[in-house]
Amino acid sequence: MIPTTPQPRRPVATVAVVGAGRLGRPLARALSAAGSTVTGPFGRDQALDTRRVDAVVLCVPDAAIADAASTVRASGFGGVIVHTSGATPLRGSGADAGLHPLQTFTGDEEPEAFAGVGCAIAGITPEALDAARALAEALGLRAFEVRDEQRAGYHAAASVASNYLVTLLDAAEQVAATAGLDGADARALLHPLVAATVANWASLGPSGALTGPVARGDDATVRRQRAAIESDAPHLLPLFDVLRDATHDLAERGRIRG
């Protein structure tokens, strides 16, 4: 069951944010706007004072979580340490809780960018889980629990939906260039198509959103597309073949269910 957008709850009173990257900066702004007293975001070489802090949120690369958590504990901090990794299990990380907004950030977002966004939470104790939920709901995030053994699959789904989509769109842009549509022009022309496709997927599901020559069984058009890519962008041919086959399977599943 997908959680509904919560009413913002009382914020965690004092929070330190470690990491001044793409997530750390907007997260610190959003927590402050939600009513928390926020210190940071602290960069790699900045000293961290945790004496009057209820929670420390680590917005650092996955490989740096354990060392960052150890440094925080060594400072004498006795509160909740929260990491923001989608993939890293809590066990062995040094963190007490997890908070992973299911969104992409550039570092310049305003606080409202968190409102209504899904957020994977976890805690090694009920109290730590409650702290993660309180942080998420104070930001207006839609919290849902993901256990340690589920994290890799959850994060893989996020990567396919976001990171790999960008890679796929880069391939589309490269193919468009072979038709004389370069860079910004290609993106401006393809963007409405991409946006409508994503909206249809969200409302209709994969089978309902699928259109195009593979879906309608137009093999002649698919062969012409493949020949064009083989001629003008041959390095993309393996990707085209994999996507064509996967799209054919999706179309078949839709016909079977229909």
Side-chain angles (χ1 to χ4, degrees), residues 169 189-206 208-211:
L169 293 175
L189 290 166
L190 290 171
H191 177 256
L193 173 63
V194 174
T197 301
V198 172
N200 289 340
W201 164 77
S203 62
L204 302 175
L210 186 62
T211 63

Side-chain angles (χ1 to χ4, degrees), residues 33-124:
S36 294
T37 299
V38 179
T39 56
F42 294 94
R44 182 175 301 176
D45 299 321
Q46 292 180 282
L48 174 64
D49 184 356
T50 61
R51 285 174 296 180
R52 290 178 292 277
V53 174
D54 299 313
V56 174
V57 182
L58 305 179
C59 301
V60 300
D62 288 22
I65 290 172
D67 284 345
S70 178
T71 299
V72 172
R73 283 290 180 230
S75 73
F77 179 65
V80 178
I81 298 176
V82 184
H83 78 47
T84 55
S85 167
T88 301
L90 284 180
R91 301 293 178 186
S93 72
D96 307 298
L99 176 86
H100 181 256
L102 191 53
Q103 181 59 285
T104 181
F105 294 93
T106 66
D108 297 324
E109 289 81 9
E110 295 300 321
E112 56 268 20
F114 290 86
V117 171
C119 182
I121 62 170
I124 60 173

Side-chain angles (χ1 to χ4, degrees), residues 159-186:
S159 293
V160 171
S162 178
N163 310 147
Y164 297 170
L165 176 59
V166 174
T167 303
L168 180 61
L169 293 175
D170 175 65
E173 193 174 325
Q174 291 181 59
V175 176
T178 70
L181 303 172
D182 291 328
D185 287 340

